[in-house]
Amino acid sequence: MPLSHDQITRFLKSVHPYDALPLDTLDELAKQIEVLEVDEGLPVYELGNTLPGIFVIYEGQVEITDENGAVVSHLGLRNSFGERGLLKDGKAATHAHAHTPSVLMVLPPNVVRGLIDGHDVVANFFNRTRGERTGPQSLATSAIDVLMAHIPATCPSALPVREAAQIMRDRHISSLCVTEGDRLLGIATLRDISGKYVAENMPAATPVSAIMTPDPITLSPSDIGSDVLHVMMERGIGHIPICEGGKLVGIVTQTDLTHYQAVNSAELVRRIAHAHSAAEMALITAEIPQLLVQLVAGGNRHEIVTRLITDIADTATRRLLTLAEKKLGPPPVPYLWLACGSQGRQEQTGVSDQDNCLMLDDSVSGDDMAYFTELAKYVSDGLDTCGYFFCPGDMMATNPRWCQPVRVWRDYFNGWIAKPNPEAQMLASVMFDLRPIGGAFDLFEDLQADTLAAAEANSIFVAHMISNSLKHTPPLGLLRGIATIRSGEHRNTLDLKHNGVVPVVDLARVYSLQGQLPEANTRARLKAAEAAEVLSPSGARDILDAYDLIAETRLEHQVRLVKSGKKPDNYLPPSTLSDFERSHLRDAFVVIKTLQSAVGHGKGMLS
C-alpha cells in the first residue's frame, strides 16, 4: 500500500525517537523513507544480507529468528528492527520474516547515521549501553526525592493539640503536617506544642490550627539537599514539607539529613560487626532498603550496589558465627561456612533469602556433629531474624545434607558430574556459586579447583548444564515484543529475576565451567570468559550490556517501591516504562535469547 507524505509524518510522530525531532527534520525524514510491503511468510532479510536500512513496522507482524532458526522475537506496530546489524557492520545479524502481511518503513543507512550524528535523542536511542554513572553523591547534591520521608504524618486542622502530641509520641516523630485533603495548610512541631500550647497554658480543646505555622515554606522533590540545608539554616527551622503540583508528597527533617549521612554500607558493617545479638543486627539490616535507594540515586553501577549490600550479609553471617562460638565454645574441628545463590555471587538486592552450607574438616567425628547442628541453627535463625529469610528449597546448613565433611562434599560433586540427572543439574547449579564466608578457607580451595577440572572434562555433564541453563527464558512475546506474566498475583508484570537476570547468571555459570574459571560473580564470570576466549569480544559486549540494563532496571524498580513505602520485589509492570525504556529492555532480552540459542546449538561464542 502506498503511503503519503502526511501518513508517514503522522506515523513517525507516534514513534520514539522520531517524535522528538524538530518538525523540519521530521518532514525531510519522511521524504527519504522507503515503504516496503512483504507478504506473509516471505523474508524481509536473511542472516548476512546487506541491510537497506532500519525497519519500522507500520502494519503487520514480523518474526525474528537467529542463525539456528530459533525465534527470538515477534514484533508489531511501531517496533523497529535491523539496527544492531546495520550499526555494527551493515550486515543482518538475524533472519526476519513477515509473520503476517506487513507494511514496513525503511530508513536508509545514510539517513540513520545522519540522525545519530545530528540529534542526541536519536544517538541515545540507538546506543544500547548504559551511560556512565556519575559516582557517589553527597548530601548537598542528592535529590530531595532521596532524602525525604515519602509518607508524612498528617492531621486535620481541627484535631486537638493533645491528640496531635499523642500521635507524635506514639510514632516517634517531631512534627505533623496539617492538611485538608492533599493540600498543605500548615505544620505543627513539638516546639510549637511546648512553646505555645504548654507555655501559654492554652485550653485542653485547643485545635492544632491555633499553634501550627500556616503556609510553611516548602520545596519540591526535584530540589537538592543544599536547598534544604540553606533554608533550614537561613530560617532556623528543622522541618520542610515537600510539595509537588500543589500536593503534599513528603517531608524532610534534620533527623532525615542526619540519618542519610549515617546510612552507608561501611557504617552498617561497623555496627553489625559490634552487635551483640541477632535482634540488634535486625535493627541495622532494616536500613538496607534506604541504603539501596541512596546507592542507586548516588549513581553507583548495579554491580557496586549489589556488592556493598552483599558485604552487609557477609558481615552479619561472620558476626553470627562469632556469637555462636561464644555460646557453644570453640569448634571441635575446623569448619567453613559458605554462601551460594545471590550472596555467593555477591549479587544481593533489596530482597534476598539465605542459601548456605557447612564444610567440615575430614577429622570430624559423629559426636562432633551435634556442635555443628547447633551452630548452623544459631546462624540460620539469626539470618532469618535479620531479614534473610529461610530458603524455600532448604538449601541451608541446617539441613544435614548440607553440613558434611569435605570428603562427602567431594563425593557430592563427583556424583553430580558422573550422573547429571535433573536433581544433580539443579544442585550443581546452586553449588557452583559457592563462596567462602567464614572459617577455614583452605577447606574449599582444592575442592573447587578439582571440581571445575572434572566438570569441564565431562562433556555429558557440561551438555546437561547447558540444557539446564536454558530453562529460564527472556520474556519475549507478541505484545510489543515483551511477554508479561498472564495470571496470578503478579499478572501483567515482568519477572526481572527469573526471566531477566537468571538467564544471564545461568549462561555465565556454563562459561565458567567451560573455562574452569573460579569466579562466582556473574559479571566477573562473563569478563573472565572473554579473557579466556570462551566468549568472543563482541558476544561479551552484547551480553554485558544486556545484563547491565536488566540488572539496573531491576534495582531502579526496587528503589521506586521502597520510596513509595512498599517492600522491594522483582515484578515490574511494563506500563511504568516509557517506549524508549521498553525498546531497550526488549533488545536486551533478544540478545540473551540469541545467546541462549547459540549455546544450545554448541556455539558458545557470539561473533
Side-chain angles (χ1 to χ4, degrees):
M1 57 181 290
L3 297 177
S4 69
H5 179 274
D6 287 344
Q7 283 178 305
I8 294 174
T9 302
R10 286 198 301 271
F11 181 75
L12 290 177
K13 286 180 179 179
S14 70
V15 181
H16 193 74
Y18 316 108
D19 60 344
L21 293 174
L23 290 179
D24 57 341
T25 303
L26 194 64
D27 181 71
E28 186 61 31
L29 172 61
K31 296 177 183 177
Q32 301 179 71
I33 281 179
E34 301 172 15
V35 178
L36 178 66
E37 296 183 58
V38 186
D39 291 335
E40 180 178 349
L42 293 183
V44 179
Y45 58 71
E46 299 287 0
L47 179 74
N49 287 168
T50 298
L51 290 166
I54 287 177
F55 300 84
V56 182
I57 301 175
Y58 180 84
E59 186 178 287
Q61 294 181 355
V62 173
E63 182 179 84
I64 307 296
T65 57
D66 64 15
E67 61 179 317
N68 302 302
V71 177
V72 295
S73 190
H74 279 99
L75 305 178
L77 179 67
R78 296 188 181 88
N79 282 159
S80 62
F81 60 98
E83 58 266 32
R84 181 181 162 208
L86 181 72
L87 298 177
K88 181 181 179 183
D89 57 10
K91 305 288 187 181
T94 56
H95 302 272
H97 290 75
H99 192 62
T100 64
S102 300
V103 179
L104 311 174
M105 292 183 180
V106 186
L107 285 66
N110 63 313
V111 173
V112 173
R113 293 190 174 90
L115 290 173
I116 290 174
D117 293 338
H119 301 274
D120 288 343
V121 65
V122 180
N124 290 335
F125 182 81
F126 288 115
N127 175 15
R128 296 318 198 195
T129 62
R130 297 292 269 182
E132 286 299 314
R133 296 285 188 166
T134 57
Q137 295 177 323
S138 67
L139 170 64
T141 59
S142 295
I144 286 179
D145 183 61
V146 177
L147 304 174
M148 73 183 188
H150 285 259
I151 307 177
T154 63
C155 71
S157 59
L159 186 75
V161 174
R162 181 186 296 274
E163 293 183 29
Q166 291 170 343
I167 292 174
M168 294 187 207
R169 178 200 63 194
D170 294 342
R171 297 184 61 172
H172 305 288
I173 55 178
S174 57
S175 66
L176 283 175
C177 290
V178 183
T179 58
E180 184 178 279
D182 292 329
R183 188 167 67 91
L184 178 69
L185 302 178
I187 185 169
T189 67
L190 288 176
R191 188 166 68 176
D192 293 326
I193 293 175
S194 61
K196 298 175 184 178
Y197 179 74
V198 176
E200 298 177 14
N201 195 27
M202 290 183 169
T206 299
V208 72
S209 59
I211 67 160
M212 73 179 187
T213 300
D215 301 317
I217 185 170
T218 65
L219 292 172
S220 76
S222 60
D223 289 322
I224 59 177
S226 61
D227 296 319
V228 176
L229 294 169
H230 293 165
V231 170
M232 285 184 172
M233 288 186 285
E234 181 180 350
R235 304 296 182 94
I237 58 178
H239 306 76
I240 301 179
I242 309 301
C243 293
E244 186 173 36
K247 297 181 179 180
L248 178 69
V249 295
I251 188 169
V252 177
T253 69
Q254 288 181 333
T255 301
D256 294 324
L257 301 183
T258 301
H259 184 66
Y260 179 90
Q261 290 179 304
V263 176
N264 60 70
S265 61
E267 176 61 16
L268 296 189
V269 164
R270 183 194 67 79
R271 289 160 59 194
I272 289 173
H274 293 87
H276 296 93
S277 67
E280 185 179 339
M281 278 186 263
L283 297 175
I284 304 167
T285 55
E287 299 179 34
I288 289 177
Q290 181 59 32
L291 174 66
L292 174 67
V293 171
Q294 292 177 202
L295 289 173
V296 172
N300 295 282
R301 289 180 57 89
H302 71 90
E303 68 268 26
I304 300 299
V305 175
T306 55
R307 171 64 182 269
L308 294 175
I309 289 177
T310 304
D311 285 347
I312 296 169
D314 291 355
T315 303
T317 303
R318 285 190 286 269
R319 184 57 181 165
L320 287 167
L321 288 169
T322 298
L323 294 175
E325 290 187 19
K326 285 183 178 180
K327 177 182 178 181
L328 303 174
V333 299
Y335 71 88
L336 178 62
W337 185 282
L338 303 98
C340 45
S342 59
Q343 185 183 0
R345 297 189 304 272
Q346 296 178 301
E347 294 167 3
Q348 287 189 311
T349 65
V351 50
S352 294
D353 58 7
Q354 56 174 294
D355 299 279
N356 46 58
C357 65
L358 270 171
M359 290 186 181
L360 313 176
D361 189 87
D362 283 338
S363 63
V364 67
S365 68
D367 292 339
D368 297 331
M369 293 305 294
Y371 176 94
F372 293 108
T373 298
E374 287 299 313
L375 180 136
K377 185 176 188 308
Y378 185 97
V379 176
S380 287
D381 286 352
L383 289 172
D384 181 68
T385 298
C386 292
Y388 303 102
F389 306 117
F390 295 130
C391 173
D394 203 20
M395 301 289 293
M396 298 184 298
T398 49
N399 183 338
R401 188 179 186 184
W402 311 127
C403 178
Q404 293 290 337
V406 172
R407 65 177 180 275
V408 175
W409 278 101
R410 192 177 295 276
D411 289 342
Y412 283 164
F413 281 104
N414 288 339
W416 296 334
I417 294 169
K419 297 180 180 180
N421 57 43
E423 184 192 34
Q425 295 170 35
M426 183 273 292
L427 294 175
S429 294
V430 173
M431 295 304 177
F432 274 120
D433 293 346
L434 285 173
R435 182 172 60 87
I437 302 297
F441 280 39
D442 60 321
L443 293 178
F444 184 59
E445 291 174 358
D446 291 341
L447 176 61
Q448 182 187 39
D450 293 346
T451 299
L452 287 172
E456 191 275 336
N458 189 320
S459 59
I460 296 177
F461 174 75
V462 173
H464 278 276
M465 288 295 287
I466 289 174
S467 175
N468 189 66
S469 74
L470 305 180
K471 291 180 178 177
H472 294 99
T473 58
L476 291 167
L478 294 173
L479 183 60
R480 295 190 67 87
I482 294 180
T484 58
I485 298 171
R486 294 184 177 181
S487 61
E489 178 185 359
H490 304 296
R491 184 173 178 266
N492 295 329
T493 66
L494 300 174
D495 185 344
L496 291 178
K497 177 181 178 181
H498 291 103
N499 298 117
V501 171
V502 169
V504 184
V505 169
D506 290 341
L507 286 170
R509 188 183 298 115
V510 169
Y511 294 137
S512 72
L513 292 178
Q514 292 176 329
Q516 299 186 44
L517 307 173
E519 288 80 6
N521 176 265
T522 297
R523 211 172 190 283
R525 279 173 167 170
L526 293 172
K527 293 180 76 68
E530 178 187 7
E533 299 185 351
V534 176
L535 184 61
S536 72
S538 62
R541 285 194 300 271
D542 281 348
I543 195 68
L544 283 168
D545 286 345
Y547 179 57
D548 289 345
L549 175 65
I550 295 167
E552 289 180 7
T553 300
R554 179 190 183 197
L555 288 183
E556 289 161 0
H557 164 67
Q558 292 187 3
V559 163
R560 283 193 294 270
L561 291 176
V562 172
K563 287 163 69 173
S564 63
K566 300 176 183 176
K567 290 184 178 181
D569 64 28
N570 296 300
Y571 300 99
L572 171 71
S575 58
T576 63
L577 301 176
S578 66
D579 283 348
F580 173 83
E581 291 169 322
R582 276 197 297 270
S583 175
H584 280 247
L585 195 59
R586 188 258 298 171
D587 286 349
F589 292 146
V590 168
V591 167
I592 296 170
K593 184 70 175 289
T594 302
L595 191 52
Q596 284 185 325
S597 177
V599 169
H601 286 80
K603 302 169 184 176
M605 300 174 69
L606 280 180
S607 58

